Amino acid sequence: MKVLFDEDVPGKLARSLAQHEIHTVVTMQWGGVKNGALLTLIERERFDVFLTGDKNMAKQQRLEGRPFAVLIMSAINWPVVRPHIDKISVAIDGAEPGTVKTIDCGVFIARANRQSE
């Protein structure tokens, strides 16, 4: 499958998905392109899957019915995502055009700043 990683998806994930043709928004030179225009570019370049951590995208854009699947990761922090690589791979393998699904790959919880004693 031809997969596009959004700017927020950890690049290290690509190494674990070698069976897919992985591109990133950055390598496509689409950094900073707004979501609406980005979706048009994804269609034009015939990607099968768009992987993102942008949870607001589904509220801001019409995603259903497009010729590619949108997979939204619940977390994008690599140490949180790493244990869920298999789940992400299965979601990509089963992705169907025109669908939007969230992949539960953990939740990032920021540590509280510790005060010096």
Side-chain angles (χ1 to χ4, degrees):
M1 284 210 189
K2 188 174 178 184
V3 180
L4 181 69
F5 283 13
D6 202 354
E7 291 176 288
D8 57 1
V9 174
K12 292 179 181 180
L13 180 60
R15 287 181 260 175
S16 301
L17 302 172
Q19 71 274 28
H20 299 291
E21 181 183 337
I22 306 293
H23 299 269
T24 69
V25 167
V26 174
T27 61
M28 295 297 293
Q29 299 181 357
W30 297 342
V33 173
K34 299 295 180 197
N35 286 341
L38 181 60
L39 296 173
T40 300
L41 290 169
I42 293 167
E43 286 182 21
R44 185 184 76 198
E45 295 297 322
R46 296 195 166 116
F47 281 94
D48 299 303
V49 177
F50 178 51
L51 186 64
T52 184
D54 185 350
K55 295 170 192 68
N56 294 319
M57 184 177 276
K59 297 173 192 151
Q60 298 168 349
Q61 302 292 326
R62 183 192 63 78
L63 300 175
E64 290 82 8
R66 293 194 179 258
F68 57 89
V70 177
L71 298 176
I72 302 169
M73 298 170 58
S74 66
I76 55 170
N77 181 274
W78 179 241
V80 174
V81 169
R82 186 176 35 226
H84 302 280
I85 290 171
D86 288 341
K87 191 184 296 186
I88 295 166
S89 182
V90 166
I92 291 172
D93 289 341
E96 296 181 16
T99 62
V100 180
K101 296 190 177 173
T102 298
I103 306 169
D104 180 6
C105 47
V107 177
F108 176 73
I109 300 171
R111 291 183 181 167
N113 289 336
R114 294 184 183 170
Q115 302 243 345
S116 298
E117 295 183 305

